[in-house]
Amino acid sequence: MPSTTDPRTRRLSRAGHDSSVDSAHGGARDHAPAPAHPAPAPDGAQTGDGTVRLIDADGVRHPDAAYDRWVEDVDHAALRELYEDMVVVRRIDTEATALQRQGQLALWPPLLGQEAAQIGSARALETDDFVFSSYREHGVAHVRGIAGADLLRVWRGVTGAGWDPHEARMAPMQVIIGAQALHAVGYAVGILADQETDERGEAPGSGATAGAAPTEAVISYFGDGATSQGDVAEAFTFASTWTAPVVFFCQNNQWAISEPVSLQSKVPLVERARGYGMPGVRVDGNDVLAVLAVTREALHRARTGGGPTFIEAVTYRRGPHTTADDPTRYRTSAEIEHWEARDPVSRVATHLRSEGALDDDGEARVQAAADAVAAELRAGVTTIADPSWQDVFADVYAEPHAELEAERDAYARYLDGFATTEGGGR
Amino acid sequence: MPSTTDPRTRRLSRAGHDSSVDSAHGGARDHAPAPAHPAPAPDGAQTGDGTVRLIDADGVRHPDAAYDRWVEDVDHAALRELYEDMVVVRRIDTEATALQRQGQLALWPPLLGQEAAQIGSARALETDDFVFSSYREHGVAHVRGIAGADLLRVWRGVTGAGWDPHEARMAPMQVIIGAQALHAVGYAVGILADQETDERGEAPGSGATAGAAPTEAVISYFGDGATSQGDVAEAFTFASTWTAPVVFFCQNNQWAISEPVSLQSKVPLVERARGYGMPGVRVDGNDVLAVLAVTREALHRARTGGGPTFIEAVTYRRGPHTTADDPTRYRTSAEIEHWEARDPVSRVATHLRSEGALDDDGEARVQAAADAVAAELRAGVTTIADPSWQDVFADVYAEPHAELEAERDAYARYLDGFATTEGGGR
Amino acid sequence: MTTQTLTLAQGLNAGLRQALADDDHVVLLGEDIGALGGVFRVTDGLQREFGPRRVVDTPLAESGILGTAIGMSYRGYRPVVEIQFDGFVYVAFDQIVSQVAKMHARTRGKVPMPITIRIPVAGGIGAAEHHSESPETYFVHTAGLRVVSVSNPQDASTVLRQAIACDDPVIFFEPKRLYHVKGEVDAAVDLADAPPMSAAHVVRPGRDVTVVSWGSHVATAIDAAEAMADDGASVEVIDLRSLSPWDADAVAESVRRTGRLVVVHEGPRQVGVGAEICATVTERCFEHLEAPPVRVTGHDVPYPPAKLEGHHVPDLDRVCFGIDQVLGRVPLDVPTVTRTAQEVAA
Amino acid sequence: MTTQTLTLAQGLNAGLRQALADDDHVVLLGEDIGALGGVFRVTDGLQREFGPRRVVDTPLAESGILGTAIGMSYRGYRPVVEIQFDGFVYVAFDQIVSQVAKMHARTRGKVPMPITIRIPVAGGIGAAEHHSESPETYFVHTAGLRVVSVSNPQDASTVLRQAIACDDPVIFFEPKRLYHVKGEVDAAVDLADAPPMSAAHVVRPGRDVTVVSWGSHVATAIDAAEAMADDGASVEVIDLRSLSPWDADAVAESVRRTGRLVVVHEGPRQVGVGAEICATVTERCFEHLEAPPVRVTGHDVPYPPAKLEGHHVPDLDRVCFGIDQVLGRVPLDVPTVTRTAQEVAA
Ligand SMILES: Cc1ncc(C[n+]2csc(CCOP(=O)(O)OP(=O)(O)O)c2C)c(N)n1
Ligand SMILES: Cc1ncc(C[n+]2csc(CCOP(=O)(O)OP(=O)(O)O)c2C)c(N)n1
Ligand SMILES: [Mg+2]
Ligand SMILES: [Mg+2]
């Protein structure tokens, strides 16, 4: 992928775009608590005015005076790469869902429908940037280089983290809704502190030059539901008043399990940003190019001392919340069809084909790449070793802990008892 | 006090007034965490454009097309009452501070400087409305009819609540910053639920008529510091999406102990409201008439199905955070002088005198009223009985709890032991 | 009395329906409890039946839910809160321990908090992180709360109704492993006739050892008692049911007869509820104890990944081992640290 | 070695200064810790000395502070967090128990959390509600945390430095009642020579009874030991210092000699840390116990208003009474419920 765009292009975001308190994005709600889940309104309200979109649902590229410059370098070849990324992660998702059905995984939260939001944002990152995500960001993890077994390890129930967070520069998935937003802010504050340490001539590993603006940045992913959690609000405050180099990337996929986004907010989520003193931008989350553009802009702001940005990527979770969920209980097939027509993947194929930049051979190559990744995934899951009982006690503490070691040893002696009795237990 | 104004005057708030992300109210901050406490900027930024003010610091009444109608009924007599309220609560505050210095109270958080914010808002309430406050709202408590001993009980350390919350329709003071904002929302949701119960013909005590909009409302007080707590953000979300009849009244007194408001937010706090889908209004918190006007408007909105409002009352804490605080460590006397010049009490006296509505006799009557209340307070504190040891165990549970009663009885036997040995213990 | 065969989840559902029907001021608050019926379907159909003002889907914020419940209690309501999984209760911890637990004492009895906090609890179902916690210690230690845990469908229905009817806040634990376990349920039991919520039940009488447990481990304890019967030991099993207050009289009465106590729970051992039970029984039954009380518990580790939970959650073998220990058939083998010379010198 | 006479608060200040000087990655986070120096002045002068990037006033949100500390740990920092008063830690509970405590295990050792959480703790200072909590049970029960409590200025300085140097998260309790107590402090002790953070100290040897306590109640226990000496009983006092892990070996060794144990703490009795100590000592020393271990604790109530704290917080009389109890000089008088007929029938 091309690297970040020219820092001189630093500009203001669309934080100030017009919207009024009374125009609820989920349609008007009466003042009853919890009416029976109003479905999100179709296109207009959800991706209406003020939403950045560069490639529409029909694959048509629209010029954008503000955002084109952030993707000037994305030629056909680069766009094909983004397309391939999306096809691949969709295949990963399908494959993992199948593996769950086959009993190879305990659970899987599908990303189907959110490929553009994840690929577009993750491809905007530099290698050194750090990611704090939720549990559904398999696409982001894929871009971070996490593949095969590592992606599935957690969902098979063998570990709490499938990869080394420092190697991947991505924290393990976070289950507690919103908690990771604060971790991202802390990491970003660490980047600032490193710079100051650098200035004192005692660099603890940051790549920043003395006195320069931060060159690393942090991104935190969370959902529309997460915006209701106090932790996320606190993260906004801390990031804003400390001007921390962090991007809050909210995938508004319209649902928090069975709860529509209208239960979390009466106004578009992007409105939150301004009240915390940071720019907010709303983007068509099913448009990979637009997502890339707005994320690049936000990261650039972070790197150049401009502080945090809130991005609302308007997208849709087309699958169940997890493989354990039954979405037929709370939403209609008409709604799903509505969003299928706004598919993030096919619109890029259409666009590339219309530009003569993708033919059947090219498509076949992309599918072959996806096949290969899928095969690697299937093969990978079988290589995941079951943990041993010792792992129950391992790594609870970083430093020696004689008491827990003694507890482990007592349990070992208990287990040994079965070896000496025939049959091994009752 | 006159009752609420004509419901037909329901109007939109000033939520949309102009303000930009980049205009920090506390002056520009670099992106370092925690620079050494930048002091709040003088008047301009703090009570600049968009701030509702009807009587300025010099006692001049300014017409206001939007808000005059909310205080049409406030004639000279009514304004004198507001003035007297402020003089009285200032005296209560002085007296309580003195009682603390004399060892009669364990602690006291002075309200000096915040009289207008508290009196103006509390006088906008109807008797049936319910208050959930923080710890500094002695002025509000006074208006709720809580006087003398009841006001001091908690600060003397004899109880957790100085009054019966249902009688006063005011919850006991809340120490955990921001927690009470959620309680207010819950109470407001209860009002909505009552209405629905009424419609089913099983009224649980609400005064609302079947099918009508709510006629009761709730107000929650908290400080500028509290806006950083997750609970307050959650309260905004719950109140907004449920259209709960609640007013969030934030006294921005510039400081959270030693932390300036600029550490909590880069933009005026009023900006928070909009991102949560509710109107926000910024008012000169040292102008009792303006505070009355904006609070009436907000309560009216709540009563008529318009949902929550956020009010930022810009004021100043002129005393220490509590009697245990030493503000000289973190702020200048110049700053205090700046705010003394914007005194909430004297401006009303000046105004009334300029209108010929207050003379020396009138002033003497007001001071006499304050003297009487102060005397009552001094007398009251001596009437506060010390609790008995049984109170340690009382009311922990609402229903019988044999185990705790047994624990209490065992302690009683232990205490009895001293009675039988000479000297009563070692 | 009409009984039906219901799962524990259905028993809870029946209990909630009854409570909603009995008292107009009962309201249900939680995430996904409306159209979805909760992730475990415990509230299935209730929003349809009682409407969205009484069965309320809340925004996604547990502190917000509890804080709202407190305000509704001020207004005279009896909120029943669903926390979706045990691991999500911690974000509401302050509202529970600083507000819910203390409000009645703070207001000298003027403001009761008749809030029931339903928490699907514990592991053994192969779930993801934060979905298998046993947080009972945190709440049992907190004065002002009552804490119960149910072990069968009938208790699910009846104790839940008792909890809702109680003017005190009640933490109501629903062992996830038991949601699908079936039993006969009379959902309309007259609460006046039901045993008090705080009373323990002797679910299997015995003479040699008392095993105390609650929730899903009552079944494990009964299995162990049966297995030990073959080994010539008569084991009494007590379903504690209420963890705060807990029925120390019933346990002490039993231990005075058997002379031996084993406590089984899934939460970590260190300052687990088992520690309280063992300490109290030692105080009360010192002269009757034939052996030190034994605890069979989860280890002092964060709940492990699903594939390892079999090594963490007490099972039949470990309970039997604990019984053997208290009977002196196998050594007690208490974990003991051997300090270094330097450490001993300190 | 140069010592100075310092208060415990000054000892902490000296420890923090040393830690900041020793390691560039130590950062202090908290409310009002900068210009004000903290409400107890423990961080007095440190922001001036080390700058606002290392001594950081945070926005007013404890969950935010802990969450930020976690992120800084990811980045290689060693955050030292000040919670202004014990009662304000609950809003950060989730970040502590679900994140700080579990991150190292979750990441299989890849991401340590070298966070020190300083908490002014407990009562006895006539404070307002939420300013006198003893939340140790909550943290001692939470695997993945270490928990310490200091009782004198030298430990304040040294143990705080050890906590900061430790790669595990440490809950560091500072008894508010002791902030002004003075003692000799060597603020530059070589940590390699210092006794390990987790080791208990026998602060007064004795033969007849072992009294275990920590924090401010060590002094009460010593006073009681002296009073009892006049009454002909030789009391050993152990300052536990570390509550998790706790030095069961040292306590058991003592109890095997004395045969009698009294635990003194201020938090509620039910599932207090005393329960763990009594249960464990009973397991380990059953044959040596002359009497059931006795707990002298706060009652099972929310911390009462200031004027009543004298009836809640263990004092000299109550500790002496506990010692008399374990010596059999006064009856044990354990609270016992007499059940109603209906209850017993249940
Ligand atoms: C604190 C907390 N509460 C509840 C849950 C249960 N839960 C898991 S996912 C989820 C919905 C999250 O919705 P959203 O933030 O929109 O993310 P999405 O799943 O749509 O990606 C809920 C309620 C949780 N994991 N953590
Ligand atoms: C959760 C919590 N954290 C910290 C505190 C300590 N504390 C008491 S008052 C205060 C400052 C509050 O500032 P603000 O909200 O502006 O209210 P003000 O005192 O100015 O009226 C702090 C930090 C607390 N009471 N609760
Ligand atoms: Mg979502
Ligand atoms: Mg303030």
Side-chain angles (χ1 to χ4, degrees):
Chain A
M1 281 301 298
S3 82
T4 42
T5 49
D6 184 353
R8 286 168 305 171
T9 56
R10 180 182 175 202
R11 294 155 29 268
L12 286 179
S13 83
R14 299 187 155 202
H17 73 260
D18 205 27
S19 76
S20 101
V21 161
D22 295 324
S23 70
H25 58 142
R29 286 171 54 87
D30 66 14
H31 49 277
H37 55 90
D43 224 8
Q46 287 295 333
T47 56
D49 294 330
T51 302
V52 180
R53 182 188 291 125
L54 301 180
I55 301 179
D56 72 15
D58 300 323
V60 180
R61 174 73 162 87
H62 299 273
D64 186 297
Y67 284 95
D68 282 347
R69 73 182 80 173
W70 290 99
V71 288
E72 262 168 8
D73 59 321
V74 183
D75 55 14
H76 287 153
L79 192 57
R80 251 192 331 260
E81 284 182 51
L82 292 170
Y83 173 63
E84 180 174 318
D85 279 341
M86 290 196 290
V87 171
V88 165
V89 301
R90 179 168 291 185
R91 184 71 65 85
I92 288 172
D93 191 55
T94 311
E95 203 60 37
T97 303
L99 286 168
Q100 195 282 331
R101 302 287 180 219
Q102 292 155 22
Q104 294 289 327
L105 302 178
L107 193 76
W108 181 256
L111 62 71
L112 181 67
Q114 301 178 218
E115 296 85 355
Q118 296 191 15
I119 296 301
S121 56
R123 283 294 178 208
L125 298 169
E126 295 289 328
T127 313
D128 276 350
D129 295 338
F130 211 99
V131 177
F132 290 87
S133 82
S134 179
Y135 41 79
R136 203 187 295 285
E137 285 75 33
H138 321 301
V140 178
H142 171 73
V143 171
R144 294 266 96 186
I146 297 155
D150 290 350
L151 211 51
L152 304 182
R153 222 175 276 285
V154 165
W155 302 105
R156 199 173 157 88
V158 307
T159 178
W163 56 79
D164 179 334
H166 290 298
E167 248 172 47
R169 301 196 68 71
M170 176 165 178
M173 68 122 174
Q174 178 58 251
V175 168
I176 302 297
I177 300 295
Q180 75 279 10
L182 281 166
H183 307 168
V185 174
Y187 194 96
V189 170
I191 292 174
L192 295 179
D194 275 4
Q195 292 182 279
E196 193 164 278
T197 312
D198 284 356
E199 286 166 32
R200 289 199 307 272
E202 304 134 344
S206 146
T209 348
T215 56
E216 292 175 57
V218 187
I219 191 165
S220 176
Y221 289 88
F222 48 81
D224 44 299
T227 60
S228 293
Q229 284 286 4
D231 272 6
V232 171
E234 295 185 10
F236 293 167
T237 290
F238 280 63
S240 172
T241 72
W242 285 347
T243 319
V246 60
V247 176
F248 297 113
F249 193 93
C250 175
Q251 289 174 79
N252 174 1
N253 65 5
Q254 312 302 325
W255 292 94
I257 309 187
S258 75
E259 299 189 338
V261 62
S262 56
L263 185 55
Q264 319 294 341
S265 183
K266 270 195 167 171
V267 292
L269 294 172
V270 67
E271 298 291 317
R272 261 331 133 76
R274 181 177 168 166
Y276 288 91
M278 66 181 159
V281 57
R282 195 172 210 226
V283 62
D284 181 344
N286 288 2
D287 173 356
V288 71
L289 196 62
V291 172
L292 179 69
V294 301
T295 313
R296 280 179 170 181
E297 180 198 42
L299 287 164
H300 178 69
R301 181 179 299 116
R303 289 184 217 293
T304 52
T309 303
F310 177 86
I311 295 173
E312 179 192 4
V314 181
T315 179
Y316 191 73
R317 185 198 86 212
R318 271 154 57 187
H321 171 69
T322 67
T323 45
D325 181 35
D326 173 11
T328 64
R329 284 187 163 242
Y330 54 82
R331 64 187 191 183
T332 62
S333 53
E335 182 181 311
I336 295 169
E337 280 156 28
H338 169 88
W339 284 95
E340 273 169 6
R342 282 148 190 81
D343 185 54
V345 183
S346 61
R347 74 171 68 179
V348 178
T350 307
H351 174 72
L352 286 170
R353 281 189 187 264
S354 74
E355 301 262 310
L358 183 72
D359 56 14
D360 290 352
D361 276 4
E363 180 65 40
R365 274 195 299 277
V366 167
Q367 295 300 333
D371 289 345
V373 172
E376 188 207 321
L377 203 71
R378 263 197 315 277
V381 77
T382 63
T383 70
I384 300 176
D386 276 352
S388 74
W389 71 263
Q390 284 92 342
D391 289 328
V392 170
F393 300 90
D395 297 317
V396 176
Y397 296 93
E399 302 213 350
H401 196 290
E403 290 71 13
L404 186 58
E405 285 155 26
E407 203 172 318
R408 181 199 58 203
D409 294 346
Y411 187 66
R413 288 190 293 273
Y414 159 77
L415 290 179
D416 282 349
F418 293 109
T420 59
T421 63
E422 69 281 63
R426 289 162 221 267
Chain B
M1 280 300 298
S3 82
T4 41
T5 48
D6 184 353
R8 287 168 304 173
T9 56
R10 180 182 177 203
R11 294 155 28 271
L12 287 178
S13 82
R14 300 189 157 202
H17 73 261
D18 205 25
S19 77
S20 100
V21 161
D22 295 323
S23 69
H25 56 143
R29 284 171 55 86
D30 67 13
H31 49 277
H37 55 90
D43 225 10
Q46 287 295 333
T47 57
D49 294 329
T51 301
V52 180
R53 181 187 292 125
L54 301 180
I55 300 178
D56 71 16
D58 299 323
V60 180
R61 173 75 162 86
H62 299 273
D64 185 298
Y67 284 95
D68 282 347
R69 72 181 81 173
W70 290 99
V71 287
E72 262 166 9
D73 59 319
V74 183
D75 54 15
H76 286 153
L79 193 57
R80 253 194 328 260
E81 284 182 52
L82 293 169
Y83 173 64
E84 181 174 318
D85 279 341
M86 291 195 290
V87 171
V88 166
V89 302
R90 179 168 290 185
R91 184 70 66 88
I92 288 173
D93 192 55
T94 311
E95 202 61 40
T97 303
L99 287 168
Q100 195 281 333
R101 303 286 179 220
Q102 292 156 22
Q104 294 290 326
L105 303 178
L107 194 76
W108 182 256
L111 63 69
L112 181 67
Q114 302 178 218
E115 296 84 355
Q118 295 192 14
I119 295 301
S121 56
R123 282 294 177 207
L125 298 169
E126 295 290 327
T127 312
D128 276 351
D129 295 337
F130 211 100
V131 177
F132 290 88
S133 82
S134 180
Y135 41 79
R136 203 185 296 285
E137 284 75 34
H138 321 301
V140 178
H142 172 72
V143 171
R144 293 268 96 186
I146 297 155
D150 290 349
L151 210 51
L152 304 181
R153 223 175 275 286
V154 165
W155 302 106
R156 199 170 156 88
V158 307
T159 178
W163 54 80
D164 179 335
H166 290 297
E167 248 173 47
R169 300 195 70 69
M170 176 165 177
M173 68 122 174
Q174 179 58 252
V175 169
I176 302 296
I177 300 296
Q180 75 279 12
L182 281 165
H183 307 168
V185 174
Y187 193 96
V189 170
I191 293 175
L192 294 179
D194 275 4
Q195 291 182 279
E196 192 165 276
T197 311
D198 284 355
E199 287 166 30
R200 290 199 308 271
E202 304 134 345
S206 144
T209 348
T215 55
E216 292 176 57
V218 187
I219 192 165
S220 177
Y221 290 87
F222 49 82
D224 45 299
T227 60
S228 293
Q229 285 284 3
D231 272 5
V232 171
E234 295 186 9
F236 293 168
T237 290
F238 280 63
S240 172
T241 74
W242 286 347
T243 319
V246 59
V247 176
F248 297 112
F249 194 94
C250 175
Q251 288 175 79
N252 174 1
N253 65 5
Q254 312 302 325
W255 292 94
I257 310 186
S258 75
E259 299 189 338
V261 61
S262 57
L263 185 54
Q264 320 293 342
S265 183
K266 270 195 166 170
V267 293
L269 295 172
V270 68
E271 298 291 317
R272 265 323 138 79
R274 181 176 169 167
Y276 287 92
M278 66 182 161
V281 58
R282 196 171 210 228
V283 63
D284 180 344
N286 288 3
D287 173 357
V288 70
L289 196 62
V291 172
L292 179 69
V294 301
T295 312
R296 280 179 169 183
E297 179 198 43
L299 286 165
H300 178 69
R301 181 179 299 114
R303 288 184 218 295
T304 51
T309 303
F310 176 87
I311 295 172
E312 179 192 2
V314 180
T315 179
Y316 191 73
R317 186 198 84 213
R318 270 154 57 187
H321 170 69
T322 65
T323 44
D325 181 35
D326 173 12
T328 63
R329 284 188 163 241
Y330 53 83
R331 62 186 192 184
T332 61
S333 53
E335 181 181 313
I336 295 168
E337 280 157 28
H338 169 87
W339 284 95
E340 273 169 6
R342 281 147 192 81
D343 185 54
V345 183
S346 61
R347 74 171 70 179
V348 178
T350 308
H351 174 72
L352 285 170
R353 282 188 186 267
S354 75
E355 301 263 311
L358 183 73
D359 55 16
D360 289 351
D361 277 2
E363 181 65 40
R365 274 195 299 276
V366 167
Q367 295 300 333
D371 289 345
V373 172
E376 188 208 319
L377 203 72
R378 263 196 314 277
V381 77
T382 63
T383 71
I384 300 176
D386 276 352
S388 74
W389 70 264
Q390 284 92 341
D391 288 329
V392 170
F393 300 90
D395 297 316
V396 176
Y397 296 92
E399 301 212 352
H401 196 290
E403 289 72 12
L404 186 59
E405 285 154 27
E407 203 172 316
R408 180 199 59 204
D409 294 346
Y411 187 68
R413 288 190 292 274
Y414 160 77
L415 289 179
D416 282 349
F418 293 107
T420 59
T421 64
E422 70 278 66
R426 289 163 221 268
Chain C
M1 149 169 160
T2 46
T3 68
Q4 307 161 265
T5 307
L6 298 180
T7 64
L8 188 138
Q10 290 165 337
L12 294 165
N13 183 274
L16 290 172
R17 181 174 288 104
Q18 190 69 47
L20 283 159
D22 286 348
D23 184 346
D24 225 21
H25 285 80
V26 171
V27 290
L28 274 47
L29 300 171
E31 296 158 6
D32 306 295
I33 67 170
L36 188 64
V39 294
F40 293 107
R41 305 296 183 266
V42 169
T43 56
D44 196 23
L46 298 177
Q47 189 180 67
R48 218 169 27 244
E49 196 169 331
F50 295 96
R53 270 282 166 65
R54 301 198 58 205
V55 180
V56 186
D57 271 336
T58 66
L60 207 178
E62 287 76 8
S63 188
I65 299 173
L66 264 299
T68 304
I70 291 166
M72 294 193 81
S73 298
Y74 261 91
R75 184 76 189 179
Y77 284 87
R78 307 184 85 82
V80 183
V81 163
E82 174 174 309
I83 299 291
Q84 199 163 80
F85 277 89
D86 34 57
F88 313 148
V89 74
Y90 303 130
V91 291
F93 201 68
D94 177 68
Q95 289 286 354
I96 296 175
V97 307
S98 300
Q99 309 298 337
V100 173
K102 292 179 173 175
M103 196 64 80
H104 191 263
R106 178 181 302 150
T107 61
R108 303 280 86 183
K110 300 296 185 191
V111 184
M113 289 280 121
I115 302 175
T116 301
I117 306 176
R118 295 181 38 237
I119 309 182
V121 78
I125 61 160
E129 203 189 351
H130 309 291
H131 290 69
S132 304
E133 303 274 303
S134 290
E136 63 265 10
T137 277
Y138 302 127
F139 301 113
V140 174
H141 183 62
T142 305
L145 302 176
R146 295 175 188 263
V147 183
V148 298
S149 181
V150 292
S151 68
N152 61 75
Q154 180 66 64
D155 272 4
S157 168
T158 308
V159 179
L160 179 51
R161 289 172 54 214
Q162 290 175 313
I164 295 170
C166 179
D167 277 343
D168 289 314
V170 180
I171 307 285
F172 186 90
F173 285 123
E174 306 172 359
K176 291 186 281 282
R177 249 165 79 164
L178 302 183
Y179 272 133
H180 298 295
V181 167
K182 286 189 177 144
E184 288 299 291
V185 176
D186 175 1
V189 167
D190 187 343
L191 292 187
D193 298 339
M197 189 167 74
S198 62
H201 284 177
V202 176
V203 290
R204 191 184 194 279
R207 291 178 315 275
D208 303 329
V209 177
T210 301
V211 177
V212 172
S213 197
W214 55 87
S216 77
H217 295 293
V218 173
T220 322
I222 292 173
D223 289 350
E226 258 143 46
M228 296 308 293
D230 301 339
D231 281 5
S234 167
V235 175
E236 177 149 312
V237 177
I238 295 181
D239 178 358
L240 202 56
R241 295 178 4 120
S242 178
L243 309 187
S244 181
W246 65 278
D247 196 342
D249 285 357
V251 175
E253 188 279 321
S254 174
V255 174
R256 268 183 227 112
R257 278 189 284 104
T258 63
R260 293 182 167 89
L261 172 66
V262 175
V263 184
V264 181
H265 65 65
E266 190 170 321
R269 171 194 182 88
Q270 187 163 272
V271 204
V273 172
E276 176 60 42
I277 296 172
C278 292
T280 296
V281 166
T282 303
E283 285 163 16
R284 297 216 190 169
C285 310
F286 190 67
E287 302 301 334
H288 298 84
L289 284 179
E290 307 281 348
V294 163
R295 290 179 275 169
V296 179
T297 70
H299 308 295
D300 289 307
V301 301
Y303 196 89
K307 290 255 184 192
L308 284 172
E309 64 184 350
H311 283 289
H312 182 69
V313 176
D315 60 9
L316 176 60
D317 285 331
R318 285 179 63 203
V319 176
C320 288
F321 188 77
I323 295 170
D324 279 342
Q325 284 182 312
V326 82
L327 283 166
R329 293 172 172 186
V330 298
L332 190 55
D333 193 16
V334 173
T336 309
V337 172
T338 311
R339 297 237 161 255
T340 63
Q342 187 218 19
E343 285 168 331
V344 172
Chain D
M1 151 167 156
T2 45
T3 68
Q4 310 161 263
T5 306
L6 298 181
T7 64
L8 188 135
Q10 290 165 337
L12 294 165
N13 183 274
L16 289 172
R17 180 174 288 104
Q18 190 68 48
L20 283 159
D22 286 348
D23 183 346
D24 223 20
H25 284 81
V26 171
V27 290
L28 274 46
L29 301 171
E31 296 158 7
D32 305 295
I33 67 171
L36 188 64
V39 294
F40 293 107
R41 307 293 184 266
V42 169
T43 56
D44 196 23
L46 298 177
Q47 189 181 67
R48 214 168 31 244
E49 195 168 333
F50 295 95
R53 269 281 166 65
R54 299 197 62 205
V55 180
V56 185
D57 271 337
T58 67
L60 206 178
E62 287 76 6
S63 188
I65 299 172
L66 264 300
T68 303
I70 291 166
M72 295 194 80
S73 299
Y74 261 90
R75 184 78 188 178
Y77 284 86
R78 308 185 84 84
V80 182
V81 163
E82 174 173 309
I83 299 292
Q84 200 164 79
F85 277 89
D86 35 56
F88 312 148
V89 73
Y90 303 129
V91 290
F93 202 67
D94 177 68
Q95 290 286 354
I96 297 175
V97 306
S98 300
Q99 310 297 339
V100 172
K102 292 180 172 175
M103 196 64 81
H104 190 262
R106 179 181 301 149
T107 60
R108 304 280 87 182
K110 301 295 185 190
V111 184
M113 289 280 120
I115 302 175
T116 301
I117 306 176
R118 294 180 39 237
I119 309 182
V121 79
I125 60 160
E129 203 189 352
H130 309 290
H131 290 70
S132 304
E133 303 273 304
S134 291
E136 64 264 11
T137 276
Y138 302 126
F139 301 112
V140 174
H141 182 62
T142 304
L145 302 176
R146 296 175 188 261
V147 182
V148 299
S149 182
V150 292
S151 68
N152 60 74
Q154 180 65 64
D155 272 5
S157 169
T158 308
V159 179
L160 180 52
R161 288 171 57 214
Q162 290 174 313
I164 295 169
C166 179
D167 278 342
D168 290 313
V170 180
I171 307 284
F172 186 91
F173 286 123
E174 306 171 358
K176 291 186 281 282
R177 250 166 78 163
L178 302 183
Y179 273 133
H180 298 295
V181 167
K182 288 190 176 144
E184 288 300 289
V185 176
D186 174 1
V189 166
D190 188 342
L191 293 187
D193 297 339
M197 188 168 75
S198 63
H201 285 177
V202 175
V203 289
R204 189 183 194 281
R207 290 177 317 274
D208 303 329
V209 177
T210 302
V211 177
V212 173
S213 199
W214 55 86
S216 77
H217 295 293
V218 172
T220 323
I222 292 172
D223 289 350
E226 259 144 44
M228 297 307 294
D230 302 339
D231 281 6
S234 166
V235 175
E236 176 148 314
V237 177
I238 296 181
D239 178 358
L240 202 55
R241 297 180 358 122
S242 177
L243 310 187
S244 182
W246 64 279
D247 195 343
D249 285 357
V251 176
E253 188 279 321
S254 173
V255 175
R256 265 184 230 113
R257 278 190 283 105
T258 63
R260 293 184 167 86
L261 172 67
V262 175
V263 184
V264 181
H265 65 67
E266 189 170 320
R269 170 192 182 89
Q270 186 162 272
V271 204
V273 172
E276 177 61 42
I277 296 171
C278 291
T280 296
V281 166
T282 303
E283 284 162 17
R284 297 215 187 170
C285 310
F286 190 65
E287 302 301 333
H288 298 84
L289 284 178
E290 309 279 349
V294 163
R295 291 179 273 169
V296 178
T297 71
H299 307 296
D300 289 307
V301 301
Y303 196 90
K307 290 256 183 189
L308 285 172
E309 64 184 352
H311 283 288
H312 182 69
V313 176
D315 59 10
L316 176 60
D317 285 329
R318 286 179 64 202
V319 176
C320 288
F321 188 76
I323 295 169
D324 279 340
Q325 285 183 312
V326 82
L327 284 167
R329 294 172 172 186
V330 298
L332 189 55
D333 193 17
V334 173
T336 307
V337 171
T338 311
R339 296 236 163 255
T340 64
Q342 188 219 19
E343 286 168 332
V344 172

